[in-house]
Amino acid sequence: MPEGDTVLQTATRLHAALAGQVLTRSDLRVPRFATADLTGRTVLDVTARGKHLLTRIEGGLTLHSHLRMDGAWRVFAPDERWRGGPGHQIRAILGNTEHTAVGYRLPVLELLRTGEEDRAVGHLGPDLLGPDWDPGLALARLLAAPDRPLGEALLDQRNLAGIGNVYKCELCFLARVTPWLPVGSLPDGVLPRLVTLAERLLHANRDRPTRTTTIISELRTPPNRDLAPRPAPDTGRPRPRPPHRVQERLFVYGRARRPCLRCGTPIRLADQDDRPTYWCPGCQSGPTP
């Protein structure tokens, strides 16, 4: 599921393949831009902004794309067979003499003036992986709606850009509150540390091929450890094994009915704003569906 770290990795691959090269092939397979021809222009850079991709092209143009749930950009060598889906799912092709970038199932694809990029990304909050990261601004935007459920507030890219459903669930687990708890009901001091932790987790995963949050035990935690798993309480039941670095990469996401890595309670699953949401009823306090 593409989130801020995945999108940054995609931007890095596209930048390495396209930047500084003249386009010898250009095909935008969306009705509005089907006649646009970018061949002969040099790609200047490819940048991630939250979950958005901005491919800047000579002549003051930017190709804006968004992966949403299942979009993907793939990069291929000249003689390499394209893999990523059937041909009818291809929405964009950008090629030079050395590489071809193919965009599959892109729900958002538009060509705009570089000077007008704010039309596409100007609404975003500070980018957790960007040079504009501002934890104070992110915190202020989250606190502006204290009655809003934490899970919904974390997913709102106007508050802070880059968090998706996986990080939403994992961050709520690390904060020991359910995603349905109103932002204003969080214990004192937890929200600022949660914002800091979100930035640290995305940075820790920005170069990893597979996302993991159980590395939190390897990260420096706040002095009071409010946002780190505590030892499992003595319940009389066998304690779960510690997270395995390969098999157990996430604390709760995708682990419905499996035992919590901290307390052994089965992980629960419900929808929040039409998104699958996972939590541990033993470790996380607050309202639930």
Side-chain angles (χ1 to χ4, degrees):
M1 183 177 297
E3 305 201 17
D5 49 0
T6 304
V7 175
L8 180 64
Q9 291 174 16
T10 300
T12 300
R13 289 194 298 271
L14 290 173
H15 183 86
L18 301 176
Q21 301 289 325
V22 176
L23 291 173
T24 57
R25 183 173 184 181
S26 163
D27 188 0
L28 305 183
R29 299 182 181 179
V30 293
R32 184 179 175 189
F33 302 105
T35 60
D37 185 7
L38 302 175
T39 57
R41 298 174 185 259
T42 300
V43 174
L44 304 178
D45 68 77
V46 183
T47 299
R49 180 73 174 86
K51 298 182 185 182
H52 299 252
L53 285 163
L54 302 171
T55 302
R56 299 184 177 113
I57 301 166
E58 181 186 19
L61 297 175
T62 295
L63 185 64
H64 166 233
S65 59
H66 195 297
L67 306 180
R68 290 199 178 157
M69 294 296 290
D70 60 353
W73 279 96
R74 310 288 188 194
V75 176
F76 304 102
D79 298 328
E80 190 176 359
R81 182 174 176 270
W82 294 1
R83 305 173 308 280
H88 71 266
Q89 293 183 348
I90 295 174
R91 297 292 177 266
I93 302 172
L94 298 176
N96 53 46
T97 57
E98 299 180 7
H99 299 96
T100 300
V102 183
Y104 290 89
R105 301 172 300 278
L106 300 174
V108 175
L109 185 70
E110 62 175 341
L111 193 63
L112 63 154
R113 293 288 177 185
T114 300
E116 298 176 354
E117 286 180 358
D118 274 358
R119 288 201 297 108
V121 297
H123 66 287
L124 297 176
D127 188 343
L128 286 151
L129 292 174
D132 70 322
W133 172 239
D134 183 342
L137 178 58
L139 180 62
R141 292 193 175 188
L142 288 167
L143 289 172
D147 296 331
R148 193 175 190 185
L150 176 62
E152 292 182 13
L154 290 174
L155 284 179
D156 190 336
Q157 303 300 294
R158 296 170 297 182
N159 292 331
L160 63 174
I163 290 178
N165 204 39
V166 176
Y167 280 119
K168 176 200 81 172
C169 296
E170 297 294 294
L171 285 166
C172 288
F173 172 81
L174 291 167
R176 303 197 189 104
V177 297
T178 67
W180 294 272
L181 184 73
V183 170
S185 298
L186 281 166
D188 290 344
V190 168
L191 190 60
R193 290 191 291 274
L194 189 63
V195 168
T196 299
L197 180 60
E199 188 263 349
R200 287 164 52 215
L201 277 179
L202 263 74
H203 269 277
N205 281 288
R206 61 182 294 167
D207 298 319
R208 292 175 179 263
T210 304
R211 181 183 299 123
T212 177
T213 58
T214 53
I215 56 169
I216 186 61
S217 60
E218 301 171 4
L219 300 175
R220 184 175 302 170
T221 54
N224 60 10
R225 300 183 179 274
D226 279 348
L227 295 175
R230 294 173 295 189
D234 185 3
T235 62
R237 294 177 292 180
R239 293 189 177 185
R241 291 183 297 175
H244 191 283
R245 290 296 177 261
V246 175
Q247 295 180 351
E248 303 291 0
R249 296 186 181 276
L250 302 173
F251 284 110
V252 292
Y253 190 88
R255 302 190 69 251
R257 296 180 296 278
R258 296 172 63 190
C260 173
L261 299 177
R262 186 173 76 84
C263 73
T265 302
I267 300 300
R268 298 284 302 278
L269 168 64
D271 280 347
Q272 183 180 37
D273 198 22
D274 295 325
R275 296 182 183 233
T277 299
Y278 301 82
W279 81 99
C280 172
C283 294
Q284 296 172 252
S285 61
T288 58

